[in-house]
Amino acid sequence: MCYTIRTMPPTPPTPPPEMLADWMGRHGLSAREVARRAGLSHPVVVRAKLGRRTLGWQAARAVEAVTGIPAPLWMDYQPVGRKRRNRKGRRRRRK
C-alpha cells in the first residue's frame, strides 16, 4: 500500500489591519475605545484598521499594549493606496 502525502500551500500572513479588526470584533470594542485605551486619536486607529495608514513605533507599541498584536508587524506593513477620484467617481488626472 502506498500513501501520498498532500501538503497544503502556505497561507499568506494576515495583515495587521485585518488582525486589528478581528480583535476588535471578538472583544466588542469600537475604534474609539481602542484609541482611548492606547492613548491615540480616533482617526489614527480607524485609518490603521482600514489599512490606509501604517503606525509609527510609539503608536504601534500602544496598540500592542492594548491588543497584543506585535508592534513589528506594523513596521513591515505597507498601507493600501487609494486612487484619487473626482465627484463623479472617475480617476483624476495628475498634472
Side-chain angles (χ1 to χ4, degrees), residues 62-85:
V63 170
E64 179 182 28
V66 174
T67 64
I69 299 171
L73 288 179
W74 288 103
M75 299 299 103
D76 296 333
Y77 176 72
Q78 295 296 319
V80 177
R82 265 184 20 178
K83 292 180 180 167
R84 296 180 179 258
R85 298 193 179 269

Side-chain angles (χ1 to χ4, degrees), residues 11-51:
T11 57
T14 306
E18 197 173 312
M19 293 170 67
L20 179 60
D22 182 51
W23 186 89
M24 289 169 58
R26 281 186 283 127
H27 289 68
L29 294 176
S30 65
R32 195 169 300 277
E33 181 61 22
V34 171
R36 187 188 66 75
R37 290 182 183 190
L40 302 170
S41 70
H42 175 248
V44 167
V45 173
V46 170
R47 288 185 192 119
K49 178 183 159 191
L50 294 175

